[in-house]
Amino acid sequence: MMRWIVVIFIVVLIEFYAFQAIRTLTKNSFAQLLYMGITIIVLGYVIYTFANYDRSVGPTKYSLRATALFLLSFVPKLVLVLFMFGEDILRVGVLGYTFVTDTLFDRPSSATFPERRKFVSQLALGVAAIPFVGLLHGVFKGKYNFKVLSHTLYFDDLPEAFEGFRLTQISDIHSGSFDEAEKIEYAIDLINKQESDVLFFTGDIVNTSASEMNPWIDTFNKIKEYPYGKHSVLGNHDYGEYVTWESEAAKEANFKAIKEVHSKIDFNLLLNDCKFIEKDGSRIAIIGVENWGHNFKKAGDLKKASQNVGEDDFKILLSHDPSHWEYEVKGDQKHYHLTLSGHTHGFQFGIEIPGFLKWSPVQYVYKHWAGLYKEAGQYLHVNRGFGFHAYPGRVGIWPEITVIELRKKAVS
């Protein structure tokens, strides 16, 4: 109960300040009423949608739409609050100081600072327009703004036969969120154009239910054949743990169906298991664990998956959650050369300017959240995700298709 009281208080505070900004900028009654009407409709729709959220179904296009509308309304107004509330604090401070020093007694009308209030409102609205436009672009364009990101990694002990070996990684498909078939077709074409030797998928093929993939089976079957196969693992969403099931049997049936989806699109699903890729008498180990997350389901068993792998084997590990690398993988004596993960989506919101700035709110939760990391001679790559979840958009953190080329470091 207290949680909802806090939420309602915050929403009322934000709406109060936002309306004050509108009133400061315009005295037109129609404009003020129009603003209030739109606000009531949006909040009403959001409240109605989530009040009727069916936990036996999980996220739907309606809940995704409600989330988008809430963020489009809430985030810009939050910016307004920061400006207006900050200005109020400053004004109270100035009034307090001038009252104590007895400087405003002869000019009481100046205490309202009407011109400055209007300027701050204009400035706040201008700044608030930035996240509004960004979030709007994220919904209509950003979520399908696929980017191919390429990396070349060097290893002392890469088998000679695998010099120049290319792999493509995708992650976090979240097929239940898709709403534009032609955009997914475009992304599949991008994957096929990379001319890699092997494809890896690192989990979360659905939001909740195996049936979410039914409309997309034919589309993902258009991913071409790879000389060394298409290999996959499960993510936290693939276990159906975020909805209420009518029975444990129904949950297990869904989980079984999700595993079968991988074979329907010709993905070799690795469940705490490994596969060796052989080329010209040499081999590398492809190890796939079930989901292991520091704050999520721990079904992954690294020791079981690697029981047939030697310490001298070159190893590529598929593990959905990058926290696995931090807590278990990088300290393991078997030395996993390259770990491929996803999960974070880069929060689907952030700022990335290559070589200059890389920021997202998710970095305060995950130490490794997007891109390449290297420690103790081992690499971790965190894919930003193919699809989207919760918020039906992406701002600054675009959907990613990763291409990594393996090279043998020259011996000097």
Side-chain angles (χ1 to χ4, degrees):
M1 183 63 180
M2 181 57 66
R3 180 179 62 180
W4 286 111
I5 292 174
V6 171
V7 170
I8 292 170
F9 173 78
I10 292 173
V11 170
V12 169
L13 180 67
I14 288 173
E15 293 298 342
F16 170 78
Y17 271 99
F19 184 66
Q20 292 305 309
I22 297 298
R23 278 204 340 176
T24 301
L25 289 173
T26 177
K27 303 302 180 185
N28 187 291
S29 299
F30 176 77
Q32 294 177 8
L33 288 172
L34 180 63
Y35 168 82
M36 292 177 63
I38 293 173
T39 297
I40 291 170
I41 291 171
V42 169
L43 284 177
Y45 178 80
V46 170
I47 292 170
Y48 174 81
T49 301
F50 285 106
N52 290 277
Y53 183 80
D54 188 347
R55 283 193 56 82
S56 67
V57 175
T60 65
K61 63 181 180 180
Y62 303 108
S63 63
L64 290 173
R65 184 185 302 151
T67 301
L69 283 172
F70 178 73
L71 290 174
L72 281 166
S73 175
F74 180 82
V75 175
K77 291 175 183 178
L78 186 59
V79 174
L80 282 175
V81 168
L82 294 176
F83 273 86
M84 304 299 287
F85 189 63
E87 198 269 343
D88 277 350
I89 292 174
L90 178 62
R91 180 164 51 168
V92 168
V94 171
L95 285 171
Y97 174 79
T98 52
F99 177 79
V100 171
T101 56
D102 204 31
T103 58
L104 283 182
F105 285 174
D106 295 330
R107 295 179 290 108
S109 62
S110 65
T112 58
F113 306 102
E115 292 303 318
R116 188 175 72 188
R117 185 71 169 182
K118 185 174 183 179
F119 170 75
V120 171
S121 297
Q122 291 172 330
L123 179 63
L125 283 172
V127 176
I130 297 174
F132 179 80
V133 172
L135 288 166
L136 201 61
H137 176 270
V139 170
F140 290 101
K141 296 290 184 180
K143 65 185 178 185
Y144 295 126
N145 186 24
F146 292 97
K147 299 296 182 183
V148 177
L149 301 183
S150 300
H151 307 280
T152 301
L153 305 183
Y154 293 86
F155 300 91
D156 292 323
D157 54 351
L158 179 72
E160 291 280 358
F162 289 91
E163 169 71 19
F165 192 80
R166 287 167 61 87
L167 61 91
T168 292
Q169 181 200 5
I170 58 174
S171 192
D172 299 87
I173 288 174
H174 286 285
S175 55
S177 299
F178 294 157
D179 56 7
E180 292 187 52
E182 64 276 12
K183 299 295 185 181
I184 307 305
E185 296 270 3
Y186 166 74
I188 299 301
D189 287 341
L190 275 181
I191 293 170
N192 288 336
K193 287 178 180 178
Q194 302 316 308
E195 299 298 327
S196 292
D197 297 293
V198 65
L199 176 75
F200 296 126
F201 169 64
T202 46
D204 277 2
I205 202 164
V206 296
N207 293 337
T208 300
S209 172
S211 62
E212 295 168 18
M213 268 298 287
N214 290 345
W216 306 101
I217 296 293
D218 290 342
T219 301
F220 279 87
N221 269 321
K222 292 179 182 178
I223 296 178
K224 68 176 188 178
E225 295 295 322
Y226 283 76
Y228 296 92
K230 296 178 276 190
H231 309 281
S232 61
V233 292
L234 299 173
N236 56 300
H237 279 269
D238 297 322
Y239 294 85
E241 299 204 333
Y242 305 119
V243 298
T244 302
W245 296 93
E246 62 183 29
S247 66
E248 190 63 28
K251 180 181 178 182
E252 283 300 318
N254 181 69
F255 185 49
K256 181 176 182 288
I258 284 175
K259 289 185 287 186
E260 291 172 349
V261 163
H262 289 252
S263 61
K264 289 180 181 178
I265 57 176
D266 199 28
F267 282 12
N268 172 40
L269 179 61
L270 297 171
L271 298 167
N272 294 323
D273 199 359
C274 75
K275 177 181 178 59
F276 289 98
I277 290 177
E278 297 185 357
K279 183 179 182 185
D280 299 336
S282 297
R283 72 179 191 176
I284 61 176
I286 309 302
I287 303 149
V289 296
E290 292 194 52
N291 190 79
W292 192 104
H294 182 57
N295 296 311
F296 289 89
K297 187 177 183 69
K298 293 179 174 63
D301 189 333
L302 186 60
K303 293 190 183 305
K304 178 183 177 182
S306 304
Q307 61 186 345
N308 297 321
V309 179
E311 291 187 18
D312 294 333
D313 282 317
F314 188 91
K315 307 169 194 71
I316 297 176
L317 173 66
L318 312 183
S319 182
H320 178 70
D321 191 317
S323 66
H324 191 205
W325 191 73
E326 175 67 18
Y327 287 95
E328 282 201 345
V329 176
K330 71 177 183 180
D332 193 285
Q333 65 180 10
K334 283 199 171 180
H335 187 84
Y336 296 85
H337 297 76
L338 172 62
T339 299
L340 302 177
S341 299
H343 180 61
T344 71
H345 301 201
F347 202 66
Q348 297 171 209
F349 181 90
I351 302 171
E352 288 195 90
I353 303 174
F356 179 72
L357 179 62
K358 181 181 174 183
W359 176 87
S360 168
V362 78
Q363 71 187 52
Y364 305 115
V365 179
Y366 283 89
K367 181 179 179 181
H368 310 100
W369 58 275
L372 268 174
Y373 303 87
K374 184 181 181 182
E375 291 183 35
Q378 300 173 81
Y379 285 97
L380 166 69
H381 182 266
V382 184
N383 185 285
R384 294 159 180 82
F386 183 92
F388 50 91
H389 185 252
Y391 163 58
R394 284 179 175 266
V395 180
I397 306 292
W398 312 122
E400 175 180 354
I401 298 164
T402 310
V403 177
I404 296 176
E405 183 173 331
L406 306 181
R407 304 297 298 271
K408 188 172 180 63
K409 187 180 294 184
V411 179
S412 56

